[in-house]
Amino acid sequence: MSSSKNFEQGLARQFESSENKQEIDVTVYLQMMFENSDRHISRATLRDGKSLVIVAGLRSEILSPFPRYKDVPTGTFNQCDILGLVPAIALIVEQRDKTLAASAVERDNASRVILAFEGASIDILGRNVGRFMDRWDSWTRVLVNILERDLPLQMDWREFLAGESGFVTMDWYKPLEYGMRTKALDTATLASKALLQSVLNRSQFENYWIQELVTWLDGLQPQMYVEGTFGMMEEVSS
């Protein structure tokens, strides 16, 4: 049985077992079903069995308890969010006026995606949400596969992107020289754009959110240094 089908059935049980069906907190259930390395379900509210609002923090929120050596400017995206952010924004644009009733992306030191789903019944609602989340995961896997194919460095891409976002890297992470970090960020940009172009039509690709995301990706530059757990720095190569 697919994960979306499991979710659909589980959401229906959550609705049927609740005494107050007007507003049900299903955060814990969605955390159990949909949390992963790139996404944290901060809040999920089911209303009347016909709408579900999800607030999903991206990797910058997951990493927020950990030390940073540098903050990103307020109102911009975080490099560490790329693997979850690029597929999420693509889906928001692709599903607009379909399964999504409303959506937003909050940008601060931590980024969040707000998704509002509607369905004529609890079954249809659960199906729409489950399929959306499955596609989010699938598109993230595609993006990671492109990165690993185009720059096979045998490194942890999530830890690399965390370091470029100003987070202190873990002691097991093998640092890259400045030139290779430049190449890795360029690869992340090209891979993200390749994914966007493969899943969106021309009109969708011209959407404001997509163009703002692409502009940010095109402007990415590596940090001058990345601080590790024990204070080690990756200096710019001389």
Side-chain angles (χ1 to χ4, degrees):
M1 185 180 295
S2 68
S3 58
S4 59
K5 188 65 175 178
N6 283 332
F7 172 74
E8 179 185 339
Q9 294 176 350
L11 188 67
R13 287 194 295 270
Q14 296 273 322
F15 178 68
E16 291 163 3
S17 63
S18 176
E19 293 184 4
N20 177 16
K21 299 187 186 306
Q22 291 183 338
E23 186 167 309
I24 308 169
D25 185 346
V26 291
T27 304
V28 173
Y29 178 59
L30 267 77
Q31 288 174 344
M32 179 181 68
M33 294 297 294
F34 296 132
E35 287 208 345
N36 58 32
S37 299
D38 303 299
R39 179 175 66 227
H40 164 64
I41 307 300
S42 303
R43 186 170 68 255
T45 306
L46 176 64
R47 295 188 175 94
D48 298 320
K50 295 183 179 180
S51 71
L52 179 63
V53 178
I54 301 171
V55 180
L58 300 181
R59 190 158 175 80
S60 54
E61 182 169 291
I62 296 172
L63 295 175
S64 60
F66 296 95
R68 295 187 86 146
Y69 64 90
K70 185 175 183 180
D71 288 329
V72 298
T74 301
T76 189
F77 296 118
N78 285 265
Q79 289 94 318
C80 64
D81 291 329
I82 285 175
L83 299 181
L85 177 71
V86 173
I89 291 183
L91 275 164
I92 285 172
V93 172
E94 196 266 342
Q95 287 294 302
R96 180 169 293 176
D97 300 325
K98 296 178 183 177
T99 61
L100 279 177
S103 59
V105 179
E106 293 183 351
R107 289 171 290 178
D108 206 333
N109 282 339
S111 300
R112 299 170 191 87
V113 175
I114 303 170
L115 306 167
F117 296 88
E118 290 184 350
S121 68
I122 187 65
D123 293 334
I124 293 173
L125 178 64
R127 190 176 310 130
N128 290 341
V129 175
R131 288 176 177 174
F132 184 99
M133 303 302 275
D134 278 355
R135 292 177 75 193
W136 190 349
D137 291 342
S138 176
W139 289 5
T140 294
R141 287 193 297 270
V142 169
L143 181 53
V144 172
N145 288 340
I146 296 172
L147 289 171
E148 293 178 342
R149 180 199 67 196
D150 291 352
L151 194 64
L153 293 178
Q154 303 299 314
M155 73 170 183
D156 188 304
W157 277 95
R158 289 178 175 85
E159 194 66 14
F160 163 73
L161 292 169
E164 294 302 328
S165 296
F167 286 98
V168 176
T169 58
M170 301 298 289
D171 58 348
W172 50 260
Y173 171 68
K174 183 178 180 181
L176 299 176
E177 294 181 354
Y178 182 83
M180 187 56 70
R181 291 194 287 113
T182 301
K183 186 174 182 179
L185 276 181
D186 288 344
T187 301
T189 295
L190 292 172
S192 297
K193 290 161 73 173
L195 174 70
L196 293 171
Q197 290 170 338
S198 69
V199 299
L200 301 175
N201 61 37
R202 180 175 297 182
S203 175
Q204 291 167 342
F205 190 80
E206 295 301 321
N207 177 273
Y208 168 80
W209 274 111
I210 300 298
Q211 289 304 302
E212 185 175 14
L213 178 61
V214 168
T215 298
W216 173 74
L217 288 165
D218 284 338
L220 288 181
Q221 296 291 332
Q223 301 284 359
M224 297 300 289
Y225 64 86
V226 174
E227 186 173 342
T229 302
F230 299 110
M232 300 295 289
M233 304 290 188
E234 298 177 23
E235 301 288 359
V236 177
S237 300
S238 58

